[in-house]
Amino acid sequence: MVFPTVLLKLLDWLLYHLLANSCHRGERKMRNHGFFSKNPSLKSPPQPPPYPNLTKCGDLEGRVSQTLVCDIQNTLLANSQSFFPYFMLVAFEGGSIIRALLLLLSSPILFLLDYELKLRAMVFITFCGLKVKDMEGISRAVLPKFYLENLNPKVYEVWASTGNRVVFTSVPRVMVEGFLKEYLGVGDVVGTELHTVGQYFTGLICGPGLVVKHRAIKEFFGEKKPDVGIGSSSPRDHLFLSLCKEAYVVNSTEDNIKAGANSAIMPREKYPKPLVFHDGRLAFLPTPFATLSMFMWLPPGIILAIFRLFVGIFLPYKMAIFLGTLSGVRIRVKGLNHSGTEGGKKGHVLYVCTHRTLLDPVFLSTSLGKPLTAVTYSLSKMSEFIAPIRTVRLTRDRKQDGETMQRLLSEGDLVVCPEGTTCREPYLLRFSSLFAELTDEIVPVAMNTEVTMFYGTTASGLKCLDPIFFLMNPRPIYYIQVLGKVPRELTCAGGKSSFEVANYIQRQLGDALGFECTNLTRKDKYMMLAGNEGVVLQDNRRRP
């Protein structure tokens, strides 16, 4: 009974504040536009900002002993006037599509509310009934990607020059603390605390309410003033900046006009920490307009995905490519004329591919125009059922898997993805060396994908839906580059160890794609993103 009672109280409070604030804001806008002024010339001239722009921050050296305070919204994150997209990520990825739709439908009402009421409403819609464990997964595996992509380079430059950093923010602490501490080295995060009952959020804010930055700074530092404060140009931040010895404001609009729109984008090579793994289905920042476009696309997108699946499963290769291209799937293929792709005297070809989605072997088979057999460590029953090519599950027992792959190679061409799992970012995981011991007829294949709406991979969701999500993208792209057959002297038959062969092919594929080679493994990925080793059980009762 607690949730209906809480909901009724919130709706009553929301209605009262909505009407009161709407009238107040309407009256204030009319005054600002001179409706109540007989002489427009009597309007007071605009006042200059009381604090200098961050671009005027001088020498950054010698600040290691200093303490910096700032917010994440409109400061560390560029173009974040509203935190709506990040609440939508939590609602969609951690909650459900219904919760995300409810948050989207509330956006016109949220637009009318003041900052505090808007934040409370988004918190309630996003978190009411959400599991604490699910939120922990989202903060670890989903949100960091979008935070890094929206990190303000100029703010981070000043941020990195100081030795101690503290973030004060009115947004929920659980949404930002993991990212701030793991990627930005924040010492302390003071944010709004959410109320929980057992393992669930109630959607309400704890007793003290939303964090008020100037009060929080006084409580945190006492009589001592922080050395540097960075805030937005909003008057809300002026009070907390007055408590700092040195203060600057971030005016993203002004900075973008001066330096160009791309100046507010943090280049990947300058990320504080490399982003190798991330999870979630959404491949775009879900602003209200982008989210509305996604929901409008879903019905035709599902139909289109089913059509594309039907084409790939039942039609001949050339017909499948033709109809797939008409439906928007683009395949970019290079290197099909390399010698050595038809097998040799000792047996069939072993194609060694980078792993971007479960559809890698399917697109390779279609591009080559011949049937292939694919081996995999974890594949859902549904994916096996709808696969248009033969798939064989491996057991992770090295000896048994080697015998299985050797038998399959004697029957026909084989596809293997030695990374053992997919990776979305421009990195290659460590290659298992087992494949190198099987044959010297090895052909590396560099594969990459490009999507705009949905990722076709998941670590913590339902893997059986991976192909569907990829094919739901309006215009997905597959890049396939078949490299030349590995020279015999660089294989095990030529005296190289299996590890040397695996590392050589990894570097070759990395160079072809412009990716960085790593020593990270499948286990590293799943332990970070999902807290397990990424094994699909035979009865499919455990989510990978």
Side-chain angles (χ1 to χ4, degrees):
M1 296 294 293
V2 63
F3 284 110
T5 304
V6 168
L7 183 60
L8 288 175
K9 289 183 178 180
L10 180 72
L11 290 176
D12 181 62
W13 183 76
L14 179 67
L15 181 61
Y16 172 78
H17 281 77
L18 175 61
L19 293 175
N21 281 284
S22 296
C23 294
H24 173 69
R25 292 181 66 185
E27 188 248 350
R28 186 174 58 188
K29 288 182 178 179
M30 293 178 71
R31 286 186 181 277
N32 291 339
H33 285 84
F35 287 103
F36 299 128
S37 176
K38 295 181 179 180
N39 187 355
S41 63
L42 297 178
K43 294 172 64 177
S44 58
Q47 298 296 321
Y51 298 102
N53 192 283
L54 187 64
T55 56
K56 294 180 171 54
C57 183
D59 190 7
L60 299 182
E61 295 184 3
R63 293 183 178 268
V64 179
S65 61
Q66 293 185 343
T67 297
L68 181 146
V69 297
C70 71
D71 197 347
I72 185 170
Q73 186 178 4
N74 300 327
T75 306
L76 274 172
L77 298 185
N79 305 318
S80 60
Q81 292 296 323
S82 171
F83 227 67
F84 177 93
Y86 306 102
F87 279 100
M88 178 58 72
L89 286 168
V90 176
F92 185 90
E93 305 289 4
S96 66
I97 193 171
I98 303 299
R99 187 187 294 269
L101 179 60
L102 182 60
L103 182 59
L104 175 65
L105 294 177
S106 70
S107 58
I109 300 176
L110 296 175
F111 178 76
L112 300 175
L113 305 180
D114 64 15
Y115 176 78
E116 179 178 345
L117 193 55
K118 179 189 300 184
L119 194 55
R120 286 179 178 272
M122 288 194 294
V123 166
F124 183 81
I125 296 171
T126 303
F127 284 92
C128 182
L130 186 70
K131 287 185 178 180
V132 174
K133 183 178 179 181
D134 290 339
M135 182 60 231
E136 291 173 352
I138 299 302
S139 65
R140 179 181 64 249
V142 176
L143 292 175
K145 169 187 181 293
F146 296 93
Y147 288 150
L148 284 173
E149 289 178 346
N150 208 20
L151 198 61
N152 190 315
K154 181 59 181 175
V155 175
Y156 179 74
E157 184 181 0
V158 179
W159 170 279
S161 68
T162 59
N164 184 34
R165 307 114 182 185
V166 185
V167 169
F168 295 87
T169 181
S170 55
V171 302
R173 180 181 56 82
V174 293
M175 291 182 64
V176 299
E177 184 176 40
F179 166 74
L180 291 172
K181 289 191 173 182
E182 182 176 353
Y183 285 86
L184 299 186
V186 176
D188 295 280
V189 178
V190 179
T192 298
E193 299 293 339
L194 303 185
H195 184 260
T196 60
V197 174
Q199 297 299 314
Y200 294 86
F201 291 102
T202 63
L204 301 179
I205 293 171
C206 284
L210 296 176
V211 166
V212 179
K213 283 180 281 191
H214 68 277
R215 294 177 187 169
I217 288 178
K218 286 182 178 179
E219 293 176 2
F220 189 90
F221 289 99
E223 297 299 323
K224 181 181 178 182
K225 285 190 174 184
D227 298 290
V228 184
I230 303 178
S232 70
S233 55
S234 169
R236 283 198 309 268
D237 282 1
H238 292 173
L239 191 56
F240 104 82
L241 288 175
S242 67
L243 303 175
C244 304
K245 297 177 182 178
E246 185 180 354
Y248 300 94
V249 296
V250 179
N251 190 332
S252 57
T253 303
E254 177 184 331
D255 295 343
N256 288 347
I257 293 176
K258 289 182 178 179
N262 291 333
S263 64
I265 300 175
M266 174 72 79
R268 178 183 297 276
E269 61 272 14
K270 292 187 178 181
Y271 280 180
K273 179 180 177 181
L275 178 71
V276 181
F277 301 127
H278 62 86
D279 203 15
R281 291 294 190 186
L282 298 183
F284 62 96
L285 184 67
T287 61
F289 178 76
T291 307
L292 176 62
S293 301
M294 179 199 71
F295 275 103
M296 293 177 63
W297 171 254
L298 279 178
I302 293 173
I303 297 173
L304 187 60
I306 294 173
F307 170 77
R308 289 166 172 172
L309 274 177
F310 177 87
V311 166
I313 294 173
F314 297 106
L315 298 185
Y317 297 117
K318 291 185 178 180
M319 183 71 71
I321 292 177
F322 175 73
L323 292 179
T325 302
L326 286 181
S327 73
V329 178
R330 290 176 285 177
I331 306 178
R332 304 287 185 261
V333 185
K334 294 173 59 178
L336 289 184
N337 296 325
H338 277 304
S339 60
T341 60
E342 298 297 331
K345 297 179 180 179
K346 294 186 178 181
H348 295 91
V349 174
L350 177 64
Y351 291 97
V352 179
C353 301
T354 54
H355 203 7
R356 310 310 281 179
T357 77
L358 293 177
L359 296 173
D360 294 336
V362 175
F363 275 91
L364 178 60
S365 176
T366 302
S367 301
L368 295 174
K370 62 180 180 180
L372 301 173
T373 300
V375 292
T376 178
Y377 286 108
S378 292
L379 195 66
S380 68
K381 291 287 185 66
M382 178 179 173
S383 297
E384 286 183 304
F385 177 74
I386 65 176
I389 63 175
R390 182 186 179 190
T391 60
V392 177
R393 190 190 297 264
L394 299 179
T395 64
R396 299 185 185 277
D397 180 277
R398 188 176 182 86
K399 181 179 180 182
Q400 184 176 342
D401 290 344
E403 292 174 353
T404 300
M405 295 171 67
Q406 194 71 65
R407 174 177 55 81
L408 295 173
L409 263 176
S410 66
E411 298 172 359
D413 293 343
L414 186 65
V415 182
V416 62
C417 299
E419 289 175 278
T421 187
T422 57
C423 183
R424 300 172 176 177
E425 298 301 311
Y427 297 93
L428 293 184
L429 307 186
R430 189 176 71 193
F431 277 24
S432 169
S433 62
L434 177 59
F435 74 89
E437 302 172 6
L438 305 177
T439 180
D440 60 346
E441 297 292 329
I442 301 174
V443 176
V445 182
M447 308 195 76
N448 195 16
T449 61
E450 186 176 311
V451 297
T452 55
M453 191 170 289
F454 302 110
Y455 285 114
T457 61
T458 183
S460 57
L462 294 173
K463 293 190 74 65
C464 61
L465 297 180
D466 285 358
I468 301 294
F469 271 102
F470 178 81
L471 295 175
M472 281 173 58
N473 283 284
R475 294 183 66 82
I477 305 177
Y478 240 100
Y479 298 96
I480 304 173
Q481 183 177 355
V482 182
L483 307 183
K485 186 177 74 172
V486 178
R488 189 176 187 278
E489 60 271 19
L490 296 177
T491 66
C492 290
K496 299 292 184 180
S497 70
S498 60
F499 298 103
E500 290 176 316
V501 177
N503 291 338
Y504 167 76
I505 294 178
Q506 184 198 39
R507 290 193 301 270
Q508 191 179 23
L509 291 173
D511 291 341
L513 292 168
F515 288 1
E516 182 179 340
C517 298
T518 74
N519 286 320
L520 298 171
T521 65
R522 173 193 182 91
K523 183 177 180 180
D524 294 327
K525 169 187 170 181
Y526 278 88
M527 289 303 296
M528 174 186 170
L529 298 184
N532 60 58
E533 296 186 17
V535 179
V536 176
L537 301 183
Q538 291 292 341
D539 61 6
N540 210 30
R541 285 179 292 186
R542 177 183 172 189
R543 295 197 309 175

PDB file of all heavy atoms in Angstrom, residues 246-260:
ATOM      1  N   GLU A 246      38.940  31.331  -5.807  1.00  0.00           N
ATOM      2  CA  GLU A 246      39.091  31.653  -7.237  1.00  0.00           C
ATOM      3  C   GLU A 246      37.921  30.999  -7.962  1.00  0.00           C
ATOM      4  O   GLU A 246      37.678  29.806  -7.787  1.00  0.00           O
ATOM      5  CB  GLU A 246      40.429  31.097  -7.742  1.00  0.00           C
ATOM      6  CG  GLU A 246      40.780  31.441  -9.165  1.00  0.00           C
ATOM      7  CD  GLU A 246      42.127  30.838  -9.575  1.00  0.00           C
ATOM      8  OE1 GLU A 246      42.814  30.262  -8.691  1.00  0.00           O
ATOM      9  OE2 GLU A 246      42.477  30.940 -10.769  1.00  0.00           O
ATOM     10  N   ALA A 247      37.175  31.744  -8.761  1.00  0.00           N
ATOM     11  CA  ALA A 247      35.949  31.218  -9.361  1.00  0.00           C
ATOM     12  C   ALA A 247      35.872  31.550 -10.848  1.00  0.00           C
ATOM     13  O   ALA A 247      36.289  32.629 -11.288  1.00  0.00           O
ATOM     14  CB  ALA A 247      34.724  31.766  -8.631  1.00  0.00           C
ATOM     15  N   TYR A 248      35.319  30.597 -11.612  1.00  0.00           N
ATOM     16  CA  TYR A 248      35.129  30.765 -13.051  1.00  0.00           C
ATOM     17  C   TYR A 248      33.778  30.178 -13.437  1.00  0.00           C
ATOM     18  O   TYR A 248      33.252  29.284 -12.769  1.00  0.00           O
ATOM     19  CB  TYR A 248      36.234  30.057 -13.842  1.00  0.00           C
ATOM     20  CG  TYR A 248      37.626  30.559 -13.532  1.00  0.00           C
ATOM     21  CD1 TYR A 248      38.403  29.907 -12.572  1.00  0.00           C
ATOM     22  CD2 TYR A 248      38.155  31.664 -14.179  1.00  0.00           C
ATOM     23  CE1 TYR A 248      39.678  30.352 -12.269  1.00  0.00           C
ATOM     24  CE2 TYR A 248      39.435  32.123 -13.883  1.00  0.00           C
ATOM     25  CZ  TYR A 248      40.187  31.461 -12.927  1.00  0.00           C
ATOM     26  OH  TYR A 248      41.449  31.908 -12.625  1.00  0.00           O
ATOM     27  N   VAL A 249      33.248  30.678 -14.553  1.00  0.00           N
ATOM     28  CA  VAL A 249      31.985  30.145 -15.066  1.00  0.00           C
ATOM     29  C   VAL A 249      32.210  29.567 -16.453  1.00  0.00           C
ATOM     30  O   VAL A 249      33.130  29.965 -17.174  1.00  0.00           O
ATOM     31  CB  VAL A 249      30.885  31.229 -15.116  1.00  0.00           C
ATOM     32  CG1 VAL A 249      30.541  31.715 -13.729  1.00  0.00           C
ATOM     33  CG2 VAL A 249      31.296  32.381 -16.024  1.00  0.00           C
ATOM     34  N   VAL A 250      31.363  28.602 -16.799  1.00  0.00           N
ATOM     35  CA  VAL A 250      31.412  27.956 -18.114  1.00  0.00           C
ATOM     36  C   VAL A 250      30.222  28.446 -18.908  1.00  0.00           C
ATOM     37  O   VAL A 250      29.075  28.257 -18.501  1.00  0.00           O
ATOM     38  CB  VAL A 250      31.359  26.415 -17.978  1.00  0.00           C
ATOM     39  CG1 VAL A 250      31.378  25.765 -19.356  1.00  0.00           C
ATOM     40  CG2 VAL A 250      32.516  25.926 -17.127  1.00  0.00           C
ATOM     41  N   ASN A 251      30.494  29.083 -20.017  1.00  0.00           N
ATOM     42  CA  ASN A 251      29.437  29.530 -20.920  1.00  0.00           C
ATOM     43  C   ASN A 251      29.601  28.738 -22.206  1.00  0.00           C
ATOM     44  O   ASN A 251      30.332  29.131 -23.111  1.00  0.00           O
ATOM     45  CB  ASN A 251      29.542  31.035 -21.188  1.00  0.00           C
ATOM     46  CG  ASN A 251      28.330  31.568 -21.929  1.00  0.00           C
ATOM     47  OD1 ASN A 251      27.681  30.851 -22.683  1.00  0.00           O
ATOM     48  ND2 ASN A 251      28.032  32.847 -21.708  1.00  0.00           N
ATOM     49  N   SER A 252      28.932  27.590 -22.282  1.00  0.00           N
ATOM     50  CA  SER A 252      29.140  26.671 -23.408  1.00  0.00           C
ATOM     51  C   SER A 252      28.734  27.291 -24.736  1.00  0.00           C
ATOM     52  O   SER A 252      29.371  27.069 -25.758  1.00  0.00           O
ATOM     53  CB  SER A 252      28.348  25.377 -23.182  1.00  0.00           C
ATOM     54  OG  SER A 252      26.966  25.656 -23.007  1.00  0.00           O
ATOM     55  N   THR A 253      27.664  28.109 -24.745  1.00  0.00           N
ATOM     56  CA  THR A 253      27.215  28.721 -26.000  1.00  0.00           C
ATOM     57  C   THR A 253      28.268  29.672 -26.544  1.00  0.00           C
ATOM     58  O   THR A 253      28.631  29.636 -27.724  1.00  0.00           O
ATOM     59  CB  THR A 253      25.895  29.474 -25.781  1.00  0.00           C
ATOM     60  OG1 THR A 253      24.926  28.568 -25.257  1.00  0.00           O
ATOM     61  CG2 THR A 253      25.396  30.067 -27.083  1.00  0.00           C
ATOM     62  N   GLU A 254      28.796  30.513 -25.668  1.00  0.00           N
ATOM     63  CA  GLU A 254      29.818  31.484 -26.085  1.00  0.00           C
ATOM     64  C   GLU A 254      31.086  30.772 -26.545  1.00  0.00           C
ATOM     65  O   GLU A 254      31.677  31.114 -27.571  1.00  0.00           O
ATOM     66  CB  GLU A 254      30.127  32.411 -24.908  1.00  0.00           C
ATOM     67  CG  GLU A 254      31.224  33.422 -25.197  1.00  0.00           C
ATOM     68  CD  GLU A 254      31.558  34.265 -23.971  1.00  0.00           C
ATOM     69  OE1 GLU A 254      30.648  34.473 -23.140  1.00  0.00           O
ATOM     70  OE2 GLU A 254      32.713  34.696 -23.852  1.00  0.00           O
ATOM     71  N   ASP A 255      31.494  29.748 -25.810  1.00  0.00           N
ATOM     72  CA  ASP A 255      32.716  29.028 -26.163  1.00  0.00           C
ATOM     73  C   ASP A 255      32.575  28.328 -27.499  1.00  0.00           C
ATOM     74  O   ASP A 255      33.505  28.291 -28.305  1.00  0.00           O
ATOM     75  CB  ASP A 255      33.058  28.010 -25.070  1.00  0.00           C
ATOM     76  CG  ASP A 255      33.406  28.695 -23.754  1.00  0.00           C
ATOM     77  OD1 ASP A 255      33.698  29.914 -23.801  1.00  0.00           O
ATOM     78  OD2 ASP A 255      33.361  28.024 -22.710  1.00  0.00           O
ATOM     79  N   ASN A 256      31.408  27.743 -27.764  1.00  0.00           N
ATOM     80  CA  ASN A 256      31.203  27.033 -29.021  1.00  0.00           C
ATOM     81  C   ASN A 256      31.229  27.974 -30.213  1.00  0.00           C
ATOM     82  O   ASN A 256      31.721  27.634 -31.280  1.00  0.00           O
ATOM     83  CB  ASN A 256      29.875  26.264 -28.984  1.00  0.00           C
ATOM     84  CG  ASN A 256      29.936  25.058 -28.061  1.00  0.00           C
ATOM     85  OD1 ASN A 256      31.016  24.662 -27.650  1.00  0.00           O
ATOM     86  ND2 ASN A 256      28.781  24.504 -27.736  1.00  0.00           N
ATOM     87  N   ILE A 257      30.685  29.170 -30.034  1.00  0.00           N
ATOM     88  CA  ILE A 257      30.689  30.135 -31.137  1.00  0.00           C
ATOM     89  C   ILE A 257      32.114  30.561 -31.467  1.00  0.00           C
ATOM     90  O   ILE A 257      32.498  30.694 -32.625  1.00  0.00           O
ATOM     91  CB  ILE A 257      29.818  31.353 -30.771  1.00  0.00           C
ATOM     92  CG1 ILE A 257      28.338  30.940 -30.684  1.00  0.00           C
ATOM     93  CG2 ILE A 257      30.011  32.463 -31.782  1.00  0.00           C
ATOM     94  CD1 ILE A 257      27.421  32.054 -30.225  1.00  0.00           C
ATOM     95  N   LYS A 258      32.922  30.750 -30.424  1.00  0.00           N
ATOM     96  CA  LYS A 258      34.300  31.207 -30.632  1.00  0.00           C
ATOM     97  C   LYS A 258      35.190  30.129 -31.224  1.00  0.00           C
ATOM     98  O   LYS A 258      36.003  30.388 -32.099  1.00  0.00           O
ATOM     99  CB  LYS A 258      34.893  31.680 -29.306  1.00  0.00           C
ATOM    100  CG  LYS A 258      34.304  32.994 -28.808  1.00  0.00           C
ATOM    101  CD  LYS A 258      34.972  33.415 -27.507  1.00  0.00           C
ATOM    102  CE  LYS A 258      34.428  34.757 -27.031  1.00  0.00           C
ATOM    103  NZ  LYS A 258      35.055  35.178 -25.763  1.00  0.00           N
ATOM    104  N   ALA A 259      35.048  28.889 -30.727  1.00  0.00           N
ATOM    105  CA  ALA A 259      35.991  27.835 -31.110  1.00  0.00           C
ATOM    106  C   ALA A 259      35.396  26.773 -32.006  1.00  0.00           C
ATOM    107  O   ALA A 259      36.100  25.864 -32.420  1.00  0.00           O
ATOM    108  CB  ALA A 259      36.567  27.184 -29.844  1.00  0.00           C
ATOM    109  N   GLY A 260      34.084  26.864 -32.321  1.00  0.00           N
ATOM    110  CA  GLY A 260      33.473  25.851 -33.164  1.00  0.00           C
ATOM    111  C   GLY A 260      32.791  24.795 -32.321  1.00  0.00           C
ATOM    112  O   GLY A 260      33.159  24.530 -31.189  1.00  0.00           O
TER     113      GLY A 260
END
